[in-house]
């Protein structure tokens, strides 16, 4: 800690005085008192500004700021103990401080045009962010804003400032803060420059989708040994698919292509509409067995693949109980088999289309209800729009239609007659809904407009379908909101992403990473795209879980969605869209399943408990009836306690067969009631996730089951989270990078594109949480 008195020494020149304002502002934020005075004759030798405390001195504005923050334990700059998140946040702040030193402080006196060119990374970042780091106020905002003030006050006239609207919005926000403006005064008006100087200002792009020619050249020439990756997947630290990944699109809203840095070993992401060629870890092709060619015309006669994939060679029982394949050694074949044998899906005679059986559809209903209840609390209303889209509407937004062109299915015939105008089947509904938003929205009183629809969409162009993960028709929800302000749109984009993370972690017990995609990976036509991403440790592959897009004003321009503001001016709305599909079910199966079958988290299990009475031949009819009555009594008790429970009294199957059957289907708890249990007035409870058993007295069954279900849910998430974290390897150089990917690990590493962006070479992605690369091998299983 810094002991009092704390004296800040300043110099007499303007530069020193302005530099000393930085620690004064920080001291005001963190609650540290300072005495400020000019350096005397004996102190003029010190680099100024300098802080005198603890019988020593520290010099340099930025160093002083960090020292003051550390003394107060404030979050303006990360403090010990350091997690990787904190270290990386600190690295981002330091990178912005370096940017400020290189691009602002050392280029004073540069003309407006050159200075504006060097500021394009800052403009691109702030185009989709309120602040510089993780969209929260930090030391970076203080330092960069004050250094920018020196430039803005001297160089940028009104016309120059108009070319950097995002910077100016952020700059005015920072300098208008009471703790800042009290020391700096309000933002200065622009200086008056000649028209020749003003005309030199370039017309910078500010939508963050394309860089300047200089930036694009930097992208093309970046050395692959330095630029670890430029394709962002997603996470709290920001995930990227690089090295061996070439991710092509996802079923969720938004199709992007990620270009990995290495040519060898390219895999493909488990996107709903992509074109995978990957193999599982042991070489078994999921696509070839897709599900063991169950797509053959005629469907699935026995509700399983028509050609069983290679297994361990053991002869199966006639009952067909159990699985032929091991998840660890033949992941693709295991998944193809388990979704059928567990009665989740059946194959249909149209390739890429599946029948969701009640066991799977019930999971989707639970997810629906959880999400629907929460978006309605946020003011969202459900609606339904037609399945068909006219060609004119689909092509209204050029970038959008190009993103989906290969996937659009067209209706070209009516009976035997060719249709005069082909009609598209929606791949997503922006172009269906937005012409009517333009009709419905007239005034600021019509905003915000928040609509969601639960429907099915069709995306046709891919070769190798996979149940739940990649299908030509799939169920989803898609929300579309319109707002008067950018801030509302950005805020709700992230709110919807938080709900998606809740579905995976709270319901499905699957840990996910939240982050923002790179411009190459974002949804076609969006300002920026956020995503939740899961990881399947068995295969070492990442998988997109759900996406939420800030569309900016791109679609409102295309569809002329305007409103009359309070001041009677016409303004374009700001929009967002977000989508989540039945892929959630496939991710759950992949992450939790084992060689016995599916493992259902209790919160989404169609049946949370199965009651199995175990009579034997020695029991009298009266004893059997008493056992059946007691089993039914447990069913009623548990239902009364809110537990989803089913009884299996079938006498034509052995207890062992029933155990295997319900384990295959993933029921979280099995309640066994046998003759000895009737004598001891107890039951046996068996957990599906761990196979652990415990004896419980009859009177405690309902209360114990409720606690056990919650314990199982928590344990499943904790186990998977630990597994997820253990799969992360830190690499700060190329050494060990490819080796980690080969070992089915995620690689967390600084993303070269971020730091080069901050130094002015590349556009910076939207949120700093996307700036760390969490490398996930994308590809087929």
């Amino acid at each position: 800690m810094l002991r009092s008195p704390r004296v800040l020494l300043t110099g007499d020149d303007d530069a020193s005085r302005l530099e000393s304002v930085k620690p004064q502002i920080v001291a005001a934020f963190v609650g540290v008192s300072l005495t400020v005075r000019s350096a005397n004759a004996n102190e003029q030798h010190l680099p100024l500004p300098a802080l005198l405390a603890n019988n020593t001195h520290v010099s340099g504005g930025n160093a002083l700021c960090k020292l003051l923050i550390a003394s107060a334990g404030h979050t303006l700059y990360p403090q010990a103990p350091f997690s990787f998140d904190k270290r990386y946040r600190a690295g981002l702040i330091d990178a912005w401080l370096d940017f400020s030193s290189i691009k602002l402080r050392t280029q004073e006196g540069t003309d407006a045009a050159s200075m504006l060119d060097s500021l394009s990374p800052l403009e691109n970042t702030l185009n989709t962010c309120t602040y510089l780091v993780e969209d929260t106020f930090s030391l970076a905002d203080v330092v960069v804003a004050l250094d920018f003030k020196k430039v803005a006050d001297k160089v940028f006239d009104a016309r120059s400032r108009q070319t950097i609207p995002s910077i100016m919005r952020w700059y005015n926000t920072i300098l208008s803060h009471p703790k800042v403006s009290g020391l700096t005064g309000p933002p200065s008006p622009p200086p008056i420059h000649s028209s020749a100087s003003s005309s030199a200002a370039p017309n910078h792009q500010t939508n963050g989708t394309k860089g300047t020619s200089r930036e694009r050249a930097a992208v093309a020439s970046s050395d692959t040994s330095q630029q670890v990756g430029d394709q962002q997947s997603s996470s709290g630290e920001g995930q990227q698919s690089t090295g061996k990944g070439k991710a092509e699109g996802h079923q969720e809203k938004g199709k992007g292509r990620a270009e990995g840095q290495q040519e060898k070993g390219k895999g493909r992401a488990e996107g709903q509409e992509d074109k995978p060629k990957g193999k599982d870890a042991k070489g078994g092709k999921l696509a070839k067995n897709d599900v063991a060619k169950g797509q053959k015309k005629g469907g699935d006669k026995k509700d399983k693949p028509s050609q069983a994939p290679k297994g361990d060679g053991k002869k199966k029982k006639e009952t067909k109980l159990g699985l032929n394949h091991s998840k660890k050694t033949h992941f693709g074949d295991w998944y193809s088999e388990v979704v059928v044998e567990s009665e989740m899906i059946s194959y249909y005679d149209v390739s890429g289309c599946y029948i969701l059986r009640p066991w799977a559809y019930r999971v989707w209903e639970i997810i629906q209800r959880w999400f629907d209840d929460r978006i309605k609390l946020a003011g969202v209303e459900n609606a339904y729009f037609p399945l068909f889209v006219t060609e004119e509407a689909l092509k209204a937004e050029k970038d959008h239609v190009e993103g989906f062109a290969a996937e659009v299915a067209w209706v070209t015939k009516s009976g035997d007659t060719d249709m005069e105008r082909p009609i598209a089947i929606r791949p997503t509904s922006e172009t269906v809904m937005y012409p009517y938003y333009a009709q419905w929205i007239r005034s600021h009183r019509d905003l915000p407009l928040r609509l969601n629809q639960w429907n099915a969409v069709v995306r046709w162009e891919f070769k190798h379908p996979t149940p739940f993960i990649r299908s030509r028709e799939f169920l989803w929800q898609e929300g579309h909101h319109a707002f008067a302000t950018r801030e509302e749109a950005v805020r709700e984009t992230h709110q919807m992403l938080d709900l998606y993370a809740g579905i995976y972690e709270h319901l499905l017990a699957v840990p996910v990473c939240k982050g923002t995609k790179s411009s190459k990976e974002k949804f076609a036509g969006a300002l920026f795209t956020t995503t939740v991403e899961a990881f399947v440790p068995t295969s070492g592959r990442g998988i997109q879980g759900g996406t939420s897009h800030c569309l900016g004003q791109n679609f409102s321009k295309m569809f002329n969605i305007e409103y009359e503001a309070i001041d009677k001016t016409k303004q374009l709305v700001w929009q967002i869209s977000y989508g989540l599909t039945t892929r959630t079910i496939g991710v759950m199966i992949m992450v939790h399943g084992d060689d016995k079958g599916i493992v259902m988290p209790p919160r989404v299990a169609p049946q949370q408990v199965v009651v199995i009475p175990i009579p034997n031949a020695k029991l009298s009819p009266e004893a059997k009836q008493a056992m059946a009555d007691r089993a039914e009594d447990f069913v009623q008790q548990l239902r009364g306690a809110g537990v989803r429970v089913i009884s299996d009294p079938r006498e034509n199957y052995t207890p062992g067969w029933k155990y295997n059957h319900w384990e295959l289907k993933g029921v979280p708890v099995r309640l066994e009631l046998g003759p000895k249990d009737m004598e001891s007035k107890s039951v046996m409870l068996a957990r599906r996730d761990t196979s652990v058993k415990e004896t419980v007295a009859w009177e405690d069954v309902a209360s114990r089951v409720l606690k056990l279900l919650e314990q199982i849910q928590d344990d499943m998430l904790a186990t998977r989270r630990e597994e997820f974290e253990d799969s992360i390897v830190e690499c700060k150089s190329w050494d060990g990078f490819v080796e980690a990917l080969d070992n089915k690990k995620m690689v967390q590493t600084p993303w070269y594109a971020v730091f080069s962006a901050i130094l002015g070479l590349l556009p910076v992605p939207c949120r700093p949480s996307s700036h760390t690369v969490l490398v996930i091998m994308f590809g087929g299983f």
Side-chain angles (χ1 to χ4, degrees):
M1 294 293 293
L2 296 174
R3 295 190 299 272
S4 296
R6 294 177 288 268
V7 180
L8 181 65
L9 304 179
T10 66
D12 296 327
D13 58 294
D14 291 341
S16 176
R17 280 195 293 269
L18 186 57
E19 190 70 9
S20 70
V21 171
K22 296 176 184 176
Q24 293 180 64
I25 291 173
V26 168
F29 270 101
V30 303
V32 174
S33 61
L34 289 177
T35 299
V36 183
R37 64 173 174 82
S38 297
N40 59 37
N42 295 327
E43 297 164 338
Q44 289 291 337
H45 68 285
L46 297 174
L48 299 176
L51 180 70
L52 302 182
N54 300 351
N55 298 319
T56 187
H57 74 275
V58 177
S59 298
N62 294 348
L64 298 184
C65 291
K66 291 181 181 179
L67 181 61
L68 291 168
I69 294 169
S71 71
H74 203 274
T75 57
L76 279 178
Y77 190 87
Q79 304 302 313
F82 287 102
S83 62
F84 188 85
D85 289 348
K86 285 186 176 181
R87 288 198 300 273
Y88 193 73
R89 178 177 165 82
L92 284 172
I93 293 174
D94 289 340
W96 279 115
L97 302 187
D98 291 342
F99 166 88
S100 191
S101 176
I102 296 170
K103 295 297 182 180
L104 295 175
R105 296 169 62 186
T106 63
Q107 295 189 32
E108 294 182 36
T110 306
D111 63 273
S114 300
M115 184 60 72
L116 286 170
D117 187 56
S118 67
L119 289 177
S120 58
L122 185 62
E123 173 68 13
N124 287 338
T125 296
L126 293 170
N127 186 38
T128 53
C129 297
T130 303
Y131 301 106
L132 292 176
V133 176
E134 294 182 347
D135 229 3
T136 57
F137 187 79
S138 71
L139 177 61
D141 296 289
V142 174
V143 171
V144 180
L146 290 179
D147 287 340
F148 177 79
K149 176 177 170 59
K150 291 185 288 186
V151 175
D153 290 350
K154 296 178 181 179
V155 178
F156 293 152
D157 59 14
R159 182 172 178 179
S160 297
R161 296 183 184 205
Q162 289 176 358
T163 65
I164 48 173
S166 298
I167 292 178
M168 296 311 301
R169 169 190 52 75
W170 161 82
Y171 171 66
N172 290 330
T173 298
I174 302 300
L175 264 67
S176 297
H177 193 287
K179 292 180 180 178
V180 179
S181 62
L183 291 164
T184 65
S188 303
I192 300 176
H193 284 191
S194 67
S195 59
S197 175
S198 298
S199 64
N203 183 18
H204 281 266
Q205 298 172 347
T206 59
N207 62 3
T209 59
K210 296 181 180 179
T212 62
S213 59
R214 175 185 174 190
E215 292 161 355
R216 291 193 295 271
V219 174
S221 62
S222 295
D223 184 83
T224 57
S225 66
Q226 292 178 297
Q227 186 172 343
V228 175
D230 64 357
Q231 169 356 66
Q232 177 176 336
S233 175
S234 77
S235 77
E237 298 89 27
Q239 298 175 342
Q240 296 287 327
S241 67
T242 68
K244 292 189 176 182
K246 183 174 183 180
E248 288 190 294
H250 300 282
Q251 165 173 311
E252 321 301 343
K253 302 178 64 63
K255 177 185 177 185
R257 292 178 182 270
E259 298 177 1
Q261 296 300 315
Q262 300 297 314
E263 287 297 322
K264 295 183 178 181
K266 293 182 179 178
R268 294 177 184 261
E270 289 85 29
Q272 284 282 10
E273 72 281 351
D274 47 5
K275 305 173 182 178
K277 294 182 181 179
K279 298 182 179 181
D280 70 4
K282 297 297 181 181
K285 292 185 179 179
L286 175 64
K288 182 177 180 180
N289 273 321
D290 181 52
V291 238
K293 298 185 179 178
Q295 306 292 337
K296 286 186 177 182
K297 193 170 183 179
D300 52 298
K301 295 180 180 179
K302 294 186 180 180
D303 214 19
K304 62 182 181 60
S306 58
Q307 176 185 334
K310 295 179 180 180
D312 55 13
K314 294 181 180 179
K315 184 177 180 180
K316 294 194 61 167
K317 296 180 180 179
E318 291 301 315
T319 59
K320 297 296 183 185
L321 267 182
L323 301 174
N324 281 324
H325 301 95
S326 167
K327 179 181 179 182
K328 185 176 181 180
T329 58
H330 295 86
F331 181 80
D333 295 333
W334 168 85
Y335 180 76
S336 300
E337 186 180 15
V338 75
V339 294
V340 173
E341 297 296 337
S342 62
E343 300 177 344
M344 296 290 279
I345 64 105
S346 284
Y347 291 99
Y348 192 61
D349 58 2
V350 175
S351 176
C353 297
Y354 305 96
I355 299 168
L356 298 190
R357 299 184 64 176
W359 200 248
Y361 197 81
R362 180 63 178 130
V363 176
W364 181 237
E365 286 181 322
I366 293 170
I367 292 171
Q368 272 187 303
R369 182 176 299 114
W370 188 92
F371 186 76
D372 201 62
D373 288 346
R374 282 155 182 77
I375 61 175
K376 284 177 178 174
L377 290 175
V380 180
E381 296 182 290
N382 284 328
Y384 184 80
F385 286 76
L387 174 69
F388 300 110
V389 192
T390 64
E391 186 174 12
E392 292 78 7
L394 189 64
K395 292 183 178 179
E397 211 295 305
K398 182 179 179 182
D399 291 339
H400 180 69
V401 72
E402 286 180 354
F404 286 104
E407 303 164 357
V408 177
W410 294 89
V411 179
T412 59
K413 281 182 174 290
S414 173
D416 294 329
T417 306
D418 290 336
M419 296 178 64
E420 183 178 348
R421 296 170 60 198
I423 298 174
I425 301 175
R426 63 180 171 217
T428 179
S429 296
E430 281 78 4
T431 55
V432 180
M433 301 172 71
Y434 294 166
Y436 297 91
Y437 277 39
Q439 295 180 24
W440 300 339
I441 298 173
R442 288 287 182 262
S443 165
H444 63 89
R445 289 181 291 272
D446 299 322
L447 296 172
L449 176 62
R450 300 181 178 97
L451 296 183
N452 175 71
Q453 58 174 342
W454 297 92
N455 61 23
V457 292
V458 174
R459 298 182 186 175
W460 200 259
E461 180 59 28
F462 63 86
K463 294 181 180 178
H464 304 301
T466 304
F468 299 115
I469 302 300
R470 184 186 302 112
S471 57
R472 290 201 163 109
E473 179 191 9
F474 53 87
L475 300 177
W476 75 346
Q477 61 74 216
E478 53 175 324
H480 299 267
H481 300 183
F483 305 95
T485 66
R486 172 189 177 278
E487 288 72 22
E488 291 175 286
V490 172
R491 181 174 62 251
E492 292 208 7
T493 298
H494 294 294
Q495 286 176 353
M496 294 304 150
L497 193 74
D498 289 341
L499 288 180
Y500 287 164
I503 288 173
Y504 278 97
E505 298 192 339
H506 179 76
L507 293 184
L508 302 174
V510 173
V512 293
C513 295
K514 297 186 294 183
T516 305
K517 289 180 174 292
S518 67
S519 58
K520 291 183 179 181
E521 176 82 353
K522 70 178 182 178
F523 178 57
L527 186 62
F528 65 91
T529 289
T530 63
T531 180
V532 291
E533 304 271 335
F535 180 71
V536 183
T538 309
S539 65
R541 299 298 197 265
I543 184 166
Q544 177 178 282
T547 48
S548 181
H549 318 282
C550 182
L551 303 179
Q553 295 178 312
N554 191 23
F555 285 89
S556 60
K557 291 175 185 176
M558 294 299 105
F559 293 96
N560 197 31
I561 310 175
E562 294 181 334
Y563 69 97
E564 185 177 77
I566 297 176
D567 61 4
K568 304 300 182 182
T569 60
K570 289 289 186 180
Q571 302 290 335
L572 294 170
V573 302
W574 292 81
Q575 294 176 266
I576 72 169
S577 66
Y578 50 95
L580 182 91
T581 80
T582 43
R583 175 183 292 183
T584 50
I585 302 172
V587 173
M588 175 197 71
I589 295 170
M590 290 179 172
V591 171
H592 294 303
D594 58 23
D595 289 350
K596 295 180 181 179
I598 292 173
V599 181
M600 288 275 189
R603 288 180 187 150
V604 294
Q607 301 292 346
Q608 297 169 313
V609 177
V610 56
V611 177
I612 302 180
I614 314 172
N616 58 39
K618 297 179 181 179
L619 288 182
S620 65
E622 293 78 10
K624 287 184 179 180
Q625 187 60 48
M627 182 182 292
D629 292 343
R630 176 56 60 181
E632 182 60 26
D633 182 56
F634 288 135
V635 170
Q636 297 306 319
Q637 284 185 41
L638 292 171
R639 283 180 181 163
V643 176
R644 296 187 291 275
V645 58
I646 188 173
S647 177
D648 188 352
R650 294 176 292 177
E651 296 184 5
N652 55 327
Y653 292 104
T654 65
W657 190 97
K658 293 179 185 180
Y659 296 169
N660 290 336
H661 173 74
W662 294 108
E663 284 179 343
L664 181 60
K665 295 174 74 67
V667 175
V669 175
R670 184 175 70 243
L671 187 155
E672 304 169 9
L673 182 65
K676 292 184 178 180
D677 300 314
M678 293 295 292
E679 294 175 4
S680 62
K681 294 186 178 181
S682 64
V683 299
M684 184 71 73
L685 298 181
R687 293 176 54 160
R688 171 64 181 89
D689 61 323
T690 62
S691 300
V692 172
K693 293 185 177 184
E694 62 180 276
T695 301
V696 178
W698 285 357
E699 61 271 19
D700 298 328
V701 166
S703 60
R704 179 54 188 152
V705 165
L706 287 172
K707 292 179 181 178
L708 186 58
L709 290 173
E710 284 302 307
Q711 183 181 343
I712 292 171
Q713 184 81 30
D714 293 343
D715 289 351
M716 288 181 69
L717 178 59
T719 299
R720 296 311 168 199
R721 194 182 297 283
E722 181 179 2
E723 188 176 44
F724 182 94
E725 292 172 354
D726 288 345
S727 297
I728 299 174
V729 175
E730 288 187 27
C731 285
K732 295 184 178 179
S733 69
W734 191 247
D735 296 337
F737 186 89
V738 175
E739 180 183 358
L741 294 180
D742 289 340
N743 291 332
K744 301 181 183 180
K745 300 293 185 181
M746 295 174 281
V747 182
Q748 196 168 37
T749 179
W751 184 21
Y752 174 73
V754 175
F755 297 102
S756 63
I758 292 174
L759 297 178
L761 299 177
L762 296 170
V764 180
C766 153
R767 287 172 64 83
S769 61
S770 68
H771 291 168
T772 296
V773 185
L774 189 47
V775 178
I776 292 185
M777 279 282 293
F778 282 93
F781 291 96

